[in-house]
């Protein structure tokens, strides 16, 4: 019998871990399609984000859980359930290969620093409700990235780790007694909307915090300093521009607010793991 250690999802950031066997998918479920876990339950830990379908989960011996567009459900390894997919009135529009995506799926095996297999405690449950464009975009990019032949396990693992950290942070902000998220949410939204010319001075003015307090808040919530987070958002935008069909590095660099094309390229390698030109080649090869 294989021993699996369980932890609370909110303790994820307090535990060192690494990921293996990452599986992602754009799921295209028809209305009223059904699926059941195999005997013994899920074979890996997974998260599913509903987009253009409502999903009803029926965990074994427990009440049903309904997942609406934008919600993210945690499916712990070993959990047993049935699920069915249904038409919804207010879908999130996301298309892949010309088809509307019903759900985004992310599965993986999780191990701690002692190489013990770990999973999250409890039954399938909604971790985050509502429509968070940042998480939709990140999970979409992870699904696209994993489908590319040139994507290395290290790059994919890094992207999934960032997603899990963001998801855990946002989940912690929803727990009772935590009302400190509104200012940081506004700052994050401002950065995404004004990424070409945003600066730390503006963020300090918006937040009414000192530079040191703002830095502590960013490190606590995002695991990055304000400058590093701004650069991360710019590179995420750059990846989207490359995927939209723009191939010239100089053009994308300028559109993302970089005056120095070579600095942009170095930063891209640091955050993505490959050069901008290699990223463009990877996109071309995946579209053949």
């Amino acid at each position: 019998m294989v021993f699996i250690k369980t932890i609370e999802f909110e303790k994820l950031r307090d535990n060192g871990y690494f990921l293996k066997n990452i599986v992602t998918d754009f799921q295209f479920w028809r209305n009223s399609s059904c699926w059941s876990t195999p005997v013994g339950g899920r074979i890996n830990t997974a998260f599913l984000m509903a987009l253009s379908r409502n999903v009803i989960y029926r965990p074994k011996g427990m009440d049903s859980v309904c997942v609406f567009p934008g919600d993210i459900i945690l499916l712990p390894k070993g959990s047993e359930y049935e699920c069915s997919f249904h038409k919804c009135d207010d879908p999130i529009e996301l298309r892949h290969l010309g088809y509307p995506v019903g759900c985004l799926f992310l599965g993986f095996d999780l191990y701690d620093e002692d190489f013990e297999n770990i999973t999250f405690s409890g039954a399938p449950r909604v971790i985050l409700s509502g429509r968070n464009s940042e998480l939709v975009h990140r999970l979409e990019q992870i699904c696209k990235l994993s489908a590319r032949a040139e994507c290395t396990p290290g790059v994919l693992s890094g992207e999934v780790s960032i997603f899990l950290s963001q998801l855990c942070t946002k989940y912690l902000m929803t727990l009772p007694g935590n009302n400190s998220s509104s200012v940081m949410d506004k700052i994050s939204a401002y950065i995404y909307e004004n990424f070409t010319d945003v600066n730390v001075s503006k963020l300090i003015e918006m937040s009414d915090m000192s530079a040191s307090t703002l830095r502590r808040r960013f490190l606590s919530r995002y695991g990055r300093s304000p400058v590093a987070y701004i650069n991360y958002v710019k590179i995420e935008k750059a990846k989207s521009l490359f995927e939209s069909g723009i191939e010239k590095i100089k053009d994308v660099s300028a559109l993302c607010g970089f005056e120095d094309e070579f600095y942009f390229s170095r930063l891209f390698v640091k955050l993505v793991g490959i050069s901008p030109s290699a990223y463009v080649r990877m996109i071309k090869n995946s579209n053949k």
Side-chain angles (χ1 to χ4, degrees), residues 157-173:
S157 178
E159 292 292 315
V160 174
S161 294
I162 293 171
F163 172 79
L164 292 178
S165 177
Q166 290 178 325
L167 179 58
C168 186
T169 297
K170 292 182 182 300
Y171 171 72
L172 288 170
M173 294 300 168

Side-chain angles (χ1 to χ4, degrees), residues 99-203:
Y99 296 95
V101 179
C103 307
L104 294 172
F105 174 85
L106 170 64
F108 50 84
D109 287 321
L110 195 63
Y111 293 85
D112 65 12
E113 293 175 323
D114 297 321
F115 299 98
E116 287 188 292
N117 193 195
I118 58 178
T119 189
F120 300 114
S121 58
R125 59 199 183 277
V126 173
I127 289 293
L128 204 65
S129 297
R131 298 165 181 246
N132 187 290
S133 58
E134 181 182 353
L135 290 180
V136 173
H137 172 75
R138 170 147 291 280
L139 191 49
E140 177 191 9
Q141 296 305 309
I142 289 172
C143 290
K144 288 180 177 179
L145 180 65
S146 67
R148 293 173 181 146
E150 297 180 29
C151 176
T152 65
V155 170
L156 181 60
S157 178
E159 292 292 315
V160 174
S161 294
I162 293 171
F163 172 79
L164 292 178
S165 177
Q166 290 178 325
L167 179 58
C168 186
T169 297
K170 292 182 182 300
Y171 171 72
L172 288 170
M173 294 300 168
T174 67
L175 297 180
N178 194 328
N179 58 5
S180 63
S181 63
S182 59
V183 172
M184 295 303 293
D185 284 340
K186 290 178 181 177
I187 291 175
S188 179
Y190 178 84
I191 293 173
Y192 269 85
E193 292 170 4
N194 303 275
F195 62 94
T196 58
D197 58 2
V198 67
N199 57 63
V200 176
S201 296
K202 177 62 178 178
L203 302 185

Side-chain angles (χ1 to χ4, degrees), residues 55 63 65 71 77 98 110 149 151 160 191-192 207 212 224 253:
V55 192
D63 293 336
V65 179
D71 293 354
K77 183 171 183 173
L110 195 63
C151 176
V160 174
I191 293 173
Y192 269 85
S207 64
S212 59
R224 305 170 186 268
S253 173

Side-chain angles (χ1 to χ4, degrees), residues 53-110:
R53 292 286 183 271
N54 293 336
V55 192
I56 298 177
Y57 284 87
R58 299 177 182 83
K60 189 174 181 179
M62 302 185 69
D63 293 336
S64 296
V65 179
C66 190
V67 187
F68 300 98
D71 293 354
I72 299 178
I73 188 168
L74 165 62
L75 306 169
K77 183 171 183 173
S79 56
E80 297 183 53
Y81 54 83
E82 296 179 348
C83 63
S84 56
F85 298 79
H86 305 271
K87 184 178 179 180
C88 64
D89 296 327
D90 189 19
I92 295 176
E93 296 294 339
L94 180 66
R95 303 183 77 86
H96 181 64
L97 301 177
Y99 296 95
V101 179
C103 307
L104 294 172
F105 174 85
L106 170 64
F108 50 84
D109 287 321
L110 195 63

Side-chain angles (χ1 to χ4, degrees), residues 11-26:
K11 299 295 184 181
L12 177 66
R13 295 194 309 175
D14 300 330
N15 289 265
Y17 67 90
F18 64 94
L19 301 152
K20 290 185 66 177
N21 306 320
I22 297 172
V23 179
T24 70
D25 194 14
F26 293 94

